[in-house]
């Protein structure tokens, strides 16, 4: 009797250890003993870059998101072409669009000076996204750390698993669900479009062809700098009201039918997410806390940990 109880306890304890280990893959104190100044060093580099160019905050938030959606948060997006790598930078959703690589490379080189070979590029991306949000008035969150860097990239995955600005609401919901993110997470995360810019080519069809689901004055204004043909790269703010501050105006714009991308407006177009958009348009704090929680979830997508992958010395190439 006694021995079978103790046997049962041993099994339970082992199960508990296994569960705790797989739960605690990433931790916010990961570098506390190995590189105690890592986070302040990254923050300084990120702040400096955003103080030079405010849009960089948006670009850095997006870079982390595009990293995590492809193979997980492993800094695969940072790898350049080489004999073994076909870079994800060529993907439809990334090409001539994602930016901030030099900022991450610079943060990495500052961190390498104080703790060589310790801090991953994937973690730097995650910290940079948080620091960028804070710098432009957005929420903060405790970044989980301990990701390692991939030795591979996957262009074909990047071509199929980054969200498309023409996607329907159902396909956006299903894409995000494949990454463990709910429709509510997807709406909160889309609120990142409260900062940053988009190119004419991404919203031309919406402003010229969608007469039913757009504010006509807004469409007319956008057409001035985005002609029916040509000027593909001309930029417009995703949130025309406060393009440089992180707030909930993005959701207020959607209610006025002033979403810039088709994928923005589908979130408030008579579908199942309308109520979430309405809620966030009224409750900025609720939006910000949901955004922060969803960013932590994004940062947890399939990280490499333990002895998987490597700690790259230079973010754009494998060691
Ligand atoms: C829901 C599906 C989404 C679609 C279809 C989408 C699509 C786009 C597109 C087309 C652009 C403009 C790119 C260009 O013109 O070069 C853009 C910009 C941006 N996206 Fe998204 N996005 C989505 C979700 C997200 C999420 C979840 C985040 C972050 C959490 C995000 C953050 C950003 C930011 C900050 C910018 C501005 C970047 C800059 O100014 O450099 N997006 N997005
Ligand atoms: C990586 O590739 C980009 C273009 O995709 C280029 O601008 C950059 O200079 C390259 N970086 C290095 C260090 O070679
Ligand atoms: C990319 O991912 C797909 C799907 O997981 C896989 O079949 C393919 O072999 C990968 N390609 C590379 C270059 O790793
Ligand atoms: C206009 O936008 C709505 C969603 O915002 C979409 O359902 C509809 O198909 C679009 N119409 C055209 C002509 O693109």
């Amino acid at each position: 009797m006694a021995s079978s109880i103790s046997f049962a306890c041993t099994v339970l304890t082992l199960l508990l250890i296994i569960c705790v280990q797989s739960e605690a893959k990433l931790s916010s104190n990961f570098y506390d003993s190995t590189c105690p100044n890592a986070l302040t060093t990254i923050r300084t580099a990120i702040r400096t870059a955003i103080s030079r160019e405010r849009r960089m905050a948006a670009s850095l938030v997006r870079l982390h998101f595009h990293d995590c959606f492809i193979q997980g948060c492993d800094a695969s997006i940072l790898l350049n072409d080489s004999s073994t790598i076909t870079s994800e930078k060529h993907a439809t959703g990334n090409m001539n669009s994602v930016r901030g690589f030099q900022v991450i490379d610079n943060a990495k080189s500052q961190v390498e000076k104080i703790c060589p070979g310790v801090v991953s590029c994937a973690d730097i991306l995650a910290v940079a996204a948080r620091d960028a949000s804070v710098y432009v008035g957005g929420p903060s969150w405790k970044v989980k750390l301990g990701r390692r860097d991939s030795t591979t990239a996957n262009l074909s995955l990047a071509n199929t698993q980054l969200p498309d600005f023409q996607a329907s609401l159902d396909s956006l919901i299903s894409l995000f669900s494949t990454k463990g993110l709910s429709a509510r997470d997807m709406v909160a995360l889309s609120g990142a479009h409260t900062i940053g810019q988009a190119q004419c080519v991404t919203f031309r069809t919406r402003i010229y062809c969608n007469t039913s689901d757009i504010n006509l004055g807004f469409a007319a204004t956008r057409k001035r700098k985005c002609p029916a043909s040509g000027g593909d790269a001309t930029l417009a703010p995703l949130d025309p009201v406060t393009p440089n501050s992180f707030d909930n105006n993005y959701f207020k714009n959607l209610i006025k039918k002033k979403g810039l991308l088709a994928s923005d407006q589908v979130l408030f177009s008579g579908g199942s997410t309308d109520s979430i958009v309405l809620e966030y348009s009224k409750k900025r704090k609720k939006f910000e806390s949901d955004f922060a929680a969803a960013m932590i979830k994004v940062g947890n997508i399939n990280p490499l940990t333990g002895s998987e992958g490597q700690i790259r010395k230079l973010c754009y190439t494998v060691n």
Side-chain angles (χ1 to χ4, degrees):
M1 182 66 184
S3 81
S4 73
I5 289 176
S6 88
F7 175 74
C9 288
T10 311
V11 171
L12 279 175
T13 311
L14 282 173
L15 281 174
L16 195 68
I17 290 170
I18 292 165
C19 291
V20 166
Q21 277 181 342
S22 62
E23 276 291 293
K25 276 186 156 180
L26 302 178
S27 67
S28 44
N29 59 1
F30 191 80
Y31 297 114
D32 282 8
S33 57
T34 52
C35 192
N37 291 324
L39 295 203
T40 51
T41 304
I42 298 167
R43 188 174 62 200
T44 302
I46 299 310
R47 282 183 176 173
T48 305
I50 302 172
S51 72
R52 287 195 189 124
E53 191 212 1
R54 188 99 175 162
R55 182 187 174 198
M56 190 50 70
S59 307
L60 292 170
V61 170
R62 186 170 187 234
L63 201 51
H64 176 50
F65 164 58
H66 281 207
D67 177 34
C68 294
F69 259 45
I70 308 307
Q71 299 190 146
C73 312
D74 59 0
S76 57
I77 195 172
L78 303 180
L79 291 171
N80 268 6
D81 286 322
S82 70
S83 56
T84 58
I85 302 288
T86 308
S87 179
E88 291 170 16
K89 295 176 187 182
H90 306 303
T92 318
N94 287 335
M95 198 177 26
N96 300 323
S97 179
V98 276
R99 52 204 295 282
F101 298 108
Q102 313 85 323
V103 174
I104 298 298
D105 285 344
N106 178 54
K108 171 68 171 174
S109 73
Q110 302 301 318
V111 172
E112 286 297 296
K113 278 185 204 154
I114 56 168
C115 332
V118 172
V119 181
S120 68
C121 300
D123 278 347
I124 292 175
L125 282 171
V127 172
R130 188 273 313 275
D131 292 347
S133 167
V134 171
Y135 194 98
V136 295
S140 188
W141 56 90
K142 258 197 177 323
V143 180
K144 299 272 180 65
L145 302 164
R147 299 172 193 80
R148 292 168 63 85
D149 300 323
S150 69
T151 54
T152 62
N154 196 318
L155 174 61
S156 59
L157 280 184
N159 274 324
T160 52
Q161 300 192 350
L162 291 173
D164 176 357
F165 55 83
Q166 318 247 40
S168 67
L169 180 58
D170 284 349
S171 60
L172 289 174
I173 290 174
S174 91
L175 171 65
F176 278 67
S177 78
T178 66
K179 309 292 176 188
L181 299 163
S182 67
R184 192 176 172 89
D185 293 328
M186 189 269 288
V187 175
L189 289 166
S190 296
H193 290 177
T194 177
I195 51 173
Q197 312 268 324
Q199 303 174 58
C200 173
V201 68
T202 66
F203 58 84
R204 175 181 287 123
T205 308
R206 172 163 162 72
I207 60 174
Y208 285 94
C209 305
N210 204 323
T211 47
S212 61
D213 204 32
I214 193 165
N215 174 291
L216 294 179
F218 171 71
T221 307
R222 284 291 152 262
K223 284 175 189 173
R224 268 183 235 136
K225 287 182 182 164
C226 179
S229 75
D232 283 7
T234 309
L235 296 170
L238 284 154
D239 167 9
V241 183
T242 50
N244 287 318
S245 316
F246 195 107
D247 54 29
N248 65 340
N249 274 325
Y250 169 79
F251 298 103
K252 297 181 186 175
N253 298 334
L254 295 184
I255 289 167
K256 297 177 189 148
K257 299 283 170 192
K258 293 181 179 178
L260 186 63
L261 306 177
S263 56
D264 292 324
Q265 198 61 59
V266 288
L267 305 181
F268 188 81
S269 186
S272 60
T273 50
D274 281 18
S275 57
I276 309 170
V277 170
L278 273 171
E279 179 186 347
Y280 290 155
S281 75
K282 291 182 201 138
K283 297 182 181 163
R284 176 173 174 173
K285 287 291 158 212
K286 182 62 181 156
F287 158 54
E288 293 193 345
S289 60
D290 283 2
F291 179 81
M295 285 298 284
I296 292 174
K297 281 198 195 178
V298 166
N300 283 341
I301 300 174
N302 282 348
L304 299 171
T305 56
S307 60
E308 297 169 325
Q310 59 180 216
I311 304 296
R312 283 183 218 142
K313 293 189 174 69
L314 297 165
C315 292
Y316 58 84
T317 181
V318 300
N319 295 338

